[in-house]
Amino acid sequence: MMPKKKEASASPFVPEDEQPYPIPENWCWTRMNYIAQWGSGGTPSRKIPLYYQGTIPWMKTGELNDDYIFETEEHISDDAIAHSSAKLFPINTIVIAMYGATIGKVGILGIEATTNQACACGVASSAVYFKYLFYYACSEKDNFVKKGKGGAQPNISQEIIKAHEIPIPPLAEQQRIVDRIESLFAKLDEAKEKAQAVVDGFELRKSAILHKAFTGELTERWRKEHGVGLDSWAKVELIDILTEKPRNGYSPKPVNYITAYKSMTLSATTSGVFKDEYFKYIDETIPEDSYLWLKPGDILIQRANSLDKVGTSAIYTGREHGFIYPDLMMKLQVVKTVSPQFVAYSLKKDDTLAYFRANATGTAGNMPKINQKIVSSTPINLPTFDEQIEIVRILESLFAKMQQAKEAAEAVLAQIDTMKKAILARAFRGE
């Protein structure tokens, strides 16, 4: 039982000038040494494989997840405990990482388990609700990191943890604080799950919409309104709608000095979106009449890279005579009677990408690539020009809304951890 606050001269209390911030009058500042029994674990000898063939959970700091731990990657035997400094800690033990990149990470044992020596393990006393200690330790990660000593891989010790200040309210209030934290966290976790589902499902939804676009489903109503049938669509090969056969790019000399000339990087086609910053400076003067110069509406397709990147493409939207394109890309120029945006979207379909990758030559050691013949033979479902324009309009509208939803979801995900930190900060100030 903690001494009453009026006994402030007793050692468990933090002197007023060392208290991190004000707390309610019926709370007191103490140190973590006085509200939990602390210990650490150990690593049985790796030279004896039998030590790691037991059934006793053995946890490393990399497994700490700021939540309950119900399973561990490795298990050890009774002999391993007997011949090392590993110890068996009870359920509800609070675990804090003391070393390296995981410093300050926290976990709470949902099972009896042992740990390695990089874990500080605290068994809560009767003066503190173990979940209150857990959430407080989570809130103090940044402070533990600041107290870390060392170079690129800072460390804290059990002594630093034991001496760390902690505000202690009455037990009943500790329970209320934990209940409130968990209620708010549950709502945030629900929001996080929904936001993550939006982000994770973005590409799948995009693929589904593209499938509908190029099977005619997306413009079914438009065709009825305009008296056009699906039989107006023609099955052609890509070469049939290009001004000339696809042309490979050119890799300029290495940069020695910066000139006004720029070459696209693979980031444009890998991302599927052209951005002005996707370039590198080149040292060569490119003739004004060179086919390498890009103009708006040109389609760039990645002809060689890892298999998952082969065939990715983007439509060039930069200025004319602003960029050339490199050897690992291929340029497509569409005839005036076909929408380049329509073709660019068509090349992003799952079945088109599957066609490229099924026909790519080479291996992981010898870069997979697609040649001009393969690209020229790409099958295209081609509606009338007016329907192409309508498909592009619908796709751009839908994708813009989807992108907005994705960005909003990503913003929510970025904010949730900040919101949790704010909740914890207020919780341990009595707010």
Side-chain angles (χ1 to χ4, degrees), residues 361-373:
T361 58
T363 62
N366 181 18
M367 187 181 294
K369 58 180 70 68
I370 48 178
N371 59 30
Q372 293 169 325
K373 182 179 179 181

Side-chain angles (χ1 to χ4, degrees), residues 25 89 92 95 105 430:
E25 289 187 1
F89 290 97
N92 298 331
V95 185
K105 287 282 285 183

Side-chain angles (χ1 to χ4, degrees), residues 369-408:
K369 58 180 70 68
I370 48 178
N371 59 30
Q372 293 169 325
K373 182 179 179 181
I374 294 299
V375 174
S376 296
S377 301
T378 304
I380 300 286
N381 287 333
L382 191 69
T384 63
F385 183 78
D386 287 343
E387 190 168 354
Q388 292 172 37
I389 299 303
E390 179 64 9
I391 288 172
V392 169
R393 185 192 69 79
I394 294 172
L395 287 177
E396 290 185 345
S397 174
L398 289 175
F399 289 164
K401 292 174 183 176
M402 285 171 57
Q403 185 64 32
Q404 288 177 348
K406 182 185 177 186
E407 289 173 359

Side-chain angles (χ1 to χ4, degrees), residues 278-316:
Y278 291 159
F279 70 87
K280 61 183 177 182
Y281 286 105
I282 60 176
D283 281 349
E284 295 182 50
T285 299
I286 307 298
E288 288 296 308
D289 61 350
S290 172
Y291 73 91
L292 293 168
W293 288 113
L294 293 168
K295 61 183 180 181
D298 287 349
I299 298 169
L300 298 171
I301 185 166
Q302 200 162 146
R303 68 177 190 85
N305 203 330
S306 59
L307 192 58
D308 63 320
K309 300 292 192 301
V310 168
T312 54
S313 60
I315 189 166
Y316 178 72

Side-chain angles (χ1 to χ4, degrees), residues 203-385:
E203 292 300 331
L204 192 62
R205 290 191 297 274
K206 193 172 179 180
S207 294
I209 290 171
L210 285 172
H211 176 76
K212 290 181 178 181
F214 294 100
T215 54
E217 185 177 342
L218 211 58
T219 43
E220 184 175 2
R221 179 185 295 180
W222 182 91
R223 287 196 303 278
K224 287 181 181 178
E225 292 173 351
H226 291 78
V228 178
L230 195 58
D231 57 1
S232 64
W233 286 46
K235 292 185 180 298
V236 301
E237 291 186 346
L238 186 56
I239 190 62
D240 298 329
I241 54 174
L242 299 181
T243 59
E244 60 181 348
K245 68 179 181 179
R247 299 189 74 167
N248 296 347
Y250 169 69
S251 295
K253 294 177 183 177
V255 172
N256 292 317
Y257 60 90
I258 295 176
T259 72
Y261 297 104
K262 300 173 182 177
S263 176
M264 293 302 307
T265 65
L266 295 182
S267 300
T269 51
T270 300
S271 67
V273 178
F274 170 77
K275 292 184 180 179
D276 280 344
E277 61 265 33
Y278 291 159
F279 70 87
K280 61 183 177 182
Y281 286 105
I282 60 176
D283 281 349
E284 295 182 50
T285 299
I286 307 298
E288 288 296 308
D289 61 350
S290 172
Y291 73 91
L292 293 168
W293 288 113
L294 293 168
K295 61 183 180 181
D298 287 349
I299 298 169
L300 298 171
I301 185 166
Q302 200 162 146
R303 68 177 190 85
N305 203 330
S306 59
L307 192 58
D308 63 320
K309 300 292 192 301
V310 168
T312 54
S313 60
I315 189 166
Y316 178 72
T317 55
R319 67 186 185 279
E320 192 163 348
H321 267 67
F323 298 85
I324 68 166
Y325 65 105
D327 180 51
L328 294 183
M329 287 185 188
M330 197 178 288
K331 182 176 71 173
L332 314 177
Q333 292 182 319
V334 179
V335 297
K336 291 182 179 180
T337 54
V338 174
S339 163
Q341 290 83 4
F342 174 86
V343 176
Y345 278 125
S346 183
L347 294 176
K348 296 180 185 297
K349 293 188 303 170
D350 286 345
D351 55 351
T352 302
L353 291 171
Y355 162 79
F356 288 143
R357 287 154 196 178
N359 288 281
T361 58
T363 62
N366 181 18
M367 187 181 294
K369 58 180 70 68
I370 48 178
N371 59 30
Q372 293 169 325
K373 182 179 179 181
I374 294 299
V375 174
S376 296
S377 301
T378 304
I380 300 286
N381 287 333
L382 191 69
T384 63
F385 183 78

